[in-house]
Amino acid sequence: MRDTDFIGGFAKGLRVIEAFGEAKPRLTITDISKETGLDRATARRCLLTLAELGYAAYDGKFFELTPKILRLGHAYLSATPLPRLVQPYLDQLSEKVGQSASVSVLDGAKIVYVARAAQKRVMSINLMPGSRLPAYCASMGRVLLAALPAAEARAIIEASDRRANTAFTKTDPNALMDEFARVRRQGYAVIDQELEIGLCSIAVPLENARGRVVAALNIGAPAAHAAAGEMVARYLPAMREEQAALRQVLV
């Protein structure tokens, strides 16, 4: 892309929107400046523009996003056929195994949930389409990163904020690259309480008819119900069935 085709102001506005999150729902101009690296004057203009357009609310000190911002994410979920295609298979799998099942795609260093069938809440956060989690410590993230060329996967990992969520979280880049190699060989990833204590999950890649990985499918279960060592025997056969069926319909 030519430099003349790049709209810097638009890019800055998107950076401001992305600074908000579950842990940071209300931010000041100074907060936004620190989060985005933008100077205060630019951050202020972006925030006031969002407020004027109805995408943010301002109480004189704090800004927070409004429900109107959901239009941006809903445009993707509405335009892509993936959520609509996978939902019946997710519902079937979830009912069969009695656990929550999800599908996500990779977005940089994070996974984004595009569809979910929930049996029970297994995490402290409420997951739904549009939810984002770090890829390096999530089972779906591991299979999606394992599908990338090794150099690309390493670059993403090294640029990630690899915090240890629990005592079990793998954060060393070399250890993670070894894990990706293992995932490629066996065709699935198992997470043992690396994202949150008490949560285990297993994921498989979803390929289209041409063999390209386009998403990931997982099952999450409380460790008290299914320890990590039991996930493969208990859930993988049913997941393989849905994986094979979805390969015929994904593009």
Side-chain angles (χ1 to χ4, degrees):
M1 183 180 68
R2 296 174 300 177
D3 290 344
T4 54
D5 293 328
F6 186 82
I7 304 175
F10 182 60
K12 292 171 183 176
L14 292 175
R15 284 163 63 186
V16 167
I17 292 173
E18 291 177 345
F20 292 89
E22 183 176 11
K24 298 170 290 187
R26 302 176 73 239
L27 296 171
T28 65
I29 294 173
T30 300
D31 294 331
I32 288 290
S33 180
K34 290 178 180 178
E35 290 287 333
T36 62
L38 300 173
D39 60 70
R40 290 187 83 262
T42 301
R44 177 178 178 275
R45 288 196 300 273
C46 289
L47 287 164
L48 291 176
T49 300
L50 289 172
E52 178 66 23
L53 294 175
Y55 289 104
Y58 181 43
D59 64 6
K61 180 178 181 182
F62 290 98
F63 289 84
E64 58 184 330
L65 298 180
T66 67
K68 187 176 180 180
I69 205 75
L70 293 174
R71 296 183 186 181
L72 304 180
H74 186 261
Y76 166 75
L77 291 174
S78 299
T80 178
L82 184 60
R84 184 176 64 255
L85 289 173
V86 303
Q87 192 64 55
Y89 297 88
L90 272 185
D91 293 338
Q92 178 175 284
L93 176 62
S94 181
E95 285 295 326
K96 184 183 300 183
V97 303
Q99 300 291 353
S100 298
S102 307
V103 167
S104 73
V105 295
L106 190 65
D107 179 23
K110 295 193 174 183
I111 57 169
V112 180
Y113 281 68
V114 297
R116 182 164 169 81
Q119 286 286 321
K120 52 182 75 85
R121 187 164 171 174
V122 296
M123 292 186 67
S124 61
I125 61 173
N126 188 25
L127 296 174
M128 63 189 72
S131 294
R132 300 165 65 85
L133 291 176
Y136 73 96
C137 58
S139 59
M140 289 189 285
R142 294 251 172 106
V143 297
L144 291 169
L145 288 168
L148 298 177
E152 186 176 347
R154 179 177 282 277
I156 290 173
I157 287 301
E158 291 182 344
S160 301
D161 178 16
R162 302 183 307 278
R163 65 185 64 187
N165 304 298
T166 76
F168 303 102
T169 310
K170 295 181 178 69
T171 59
D172 178 71
N174 291 327
L176 288 167
M177 293 302 295
D178 290 343
E179 187 67 21
F180 300 157
R182 184 180 302 109
V183 169
R184 279 193 294 273
R185 289 194 303 271
Q186 62 193 21
Y188 62 86
V190 174
I191 292 291
D192 184 7
Q193 304 182 85
E194 291 192 47
L195 191 61
E196 184 172 298
I197 289 294
L199 173 69
C200 295
S201 66
I202 180 171
V204 297
L206 293 179
E207 298 178 342
N208 61 18
R210 299 186 299 278
R212 184 172 70 88
V213 174
V214 295
L217 163 70
N218 98 325
I219 287 174
H225 293 180
E230 302 171 356
M231 299 289 284
V232 173
R234 185 174 294 190
Y235 302 126
L236 187 60
M239 296 178 74
R240 290 294 195 205
E241 291 179 12
E242 303 304 328
Q243 181 189 40
L246 280 165
R247 183 167 185 168
Q248 305 307 309
V249 300
L250 293 179
V251 294

